[in-house]
Amino acid sequence: MEFFEVIKNRRSCRNLEPVEIPEEDIEKILDAGRRATSGLNKQPYDFLLVREKENIEKIAAAQGFISNASAVIVIIAKPDVSQFWLEDVSAAAENMHLAVTALGYGTTWIEGTLLKKEQELKKHFNIPENMRFIIALPIGKPASEGSQSPKRKLEDIVYRESR
Ligand SMILES: Cc1cc2nc3c(=O)[nH]c(=O)nc-3n(C[C@H](O)[C@H](O)[C@H](O)COP(=O)(O)O)c2cc1C
């Protein structure tokens, strides 16, 4: 898919069907995350790949539709490594979201609903205390058509030279 088509087609897809995701595609998505920009190039994160149904179900406790995902990539943040950790994990998540779109799969950036479950998920997945189980990307086949949520118009948000 052409780059600007990917940008336009990226959407939060919560209606997922299980699908076979070859390891090669998973690696392309992870590599897109690894290549994201980060403050001072500190790359303050690890990526956790979850493929087993039983483990996916644990994450689905945060949001039910995750059960239908065939893989979940979790960004584990390391706040001790960089003051810019939140921006850095966000850049990695966006890169991966775009890669998922380019490959024809669907995903949603899951963060808000993870918060309440973070402690138990950290325990289950052996995440050290000083790290954050911060963003999950459940990946599957889009089960229905859909489009990106409406965005504000450029003319409403762009100022030139002065606000
Ligand atoms: C920081 C952040 C947290 C989010 N948390 C959740 C979440 O917990 N659950 C969810 O279903 N969507 C979550 N989303 C997805 C947004 O709701 C979604 O991106 C937004 O509605 C815009 O839709 P679009 O992705 O189709 O443009 C989150 C997105 C971001 C950037």
Side-chain angles (χ1 to χ4, degrees):
M1 206 185 294
E2 193 263 331
F3 178 75
F4 290 99
E5 284 305 302
V6 176
I7 297 279
K8 283 182 191 162
N9 286 336
R10 186 216 56 79
R11 67 180 173 107
S12 294
C13 178
R14 300 180 183 87
N15 193 8
L16 295 175
E17 270 174 22
V19 64
E20 174 65 32
I21 309 176
E23 193 56 28
E24 190 189 328
D25 285 354
I26 291 286
E27 279 192 20
K28 283 182 182 162
I29 297 163
L30 292 168
D31 194 55
R34 177 182 77 89
R35 290 180 180 281
T37 188
S38 68
L40 302 170
N41 198 27
K42 294 271 190 181
Q43 306 161 63
Y45 38 70
D46 293 335
F47 303 144
L48 171 70
L49 173 64
V50 179
R51 290 268 221 176
E52 288 182 17
K53 185 71 184 156
E54 185 191 324
N55 287 328
I56 290 175
E57 286 301 339
K58 292 280 177 195
I59 303 172
Q63 209 166 328
F65 84 89
I66 296 171
S67 288
N68 289 332
S70 297
V72 181
I73 293 173
V74 182
I75 303 183
I76 307 297
K78 299 173 169 177
D80 297 347
V81 172
S82 174
Q83 65 178 306
F84 302 119
W85 68 272
L86 192 51
E87 293 85 346
D88 296 343
V89 295
S90 300
E94 184 70 7
N95 265 19
M96 288 198 271
H97 199 154
L98 292 171
V100 167
T101 306
L103 290 167
Y105 303 107
T107 191
T108 296
W109 178 318
I110 303 294
E111 183 173 340
T113 56
L114 272 187
L115 284 172
K116 268 195 268 174
K117 300 285 172 189
E118 184 176 3
Q119 286 315 318
E120 66 184 78
L121 289 169
K122 278 174 69 167
K123 202 165 168 213
H124 178 80
F125 290 101
N126 293 316
I127 311 299
E129 196 43 52
N130 62 342
M131 298 183 191
R132 298 285 312 273
F133 193 103
I134 190 82
I135 301 170
L137 295 172
I139 305 167
K141 179 179 169 189
S144 54
E145 296 286 308
S147 53
Q148 192 175 79
S149 299
K151 301 302 174 197
R152 294 162 65 204
K153 292 194 179 100
L154 272 185
E155 66 217 52
D156 292 338
I157 59 177
V158 176
Y159 293 82
R160 296 181 192 263
E161 315 306 336
S162 167
R163 177 74 161 75

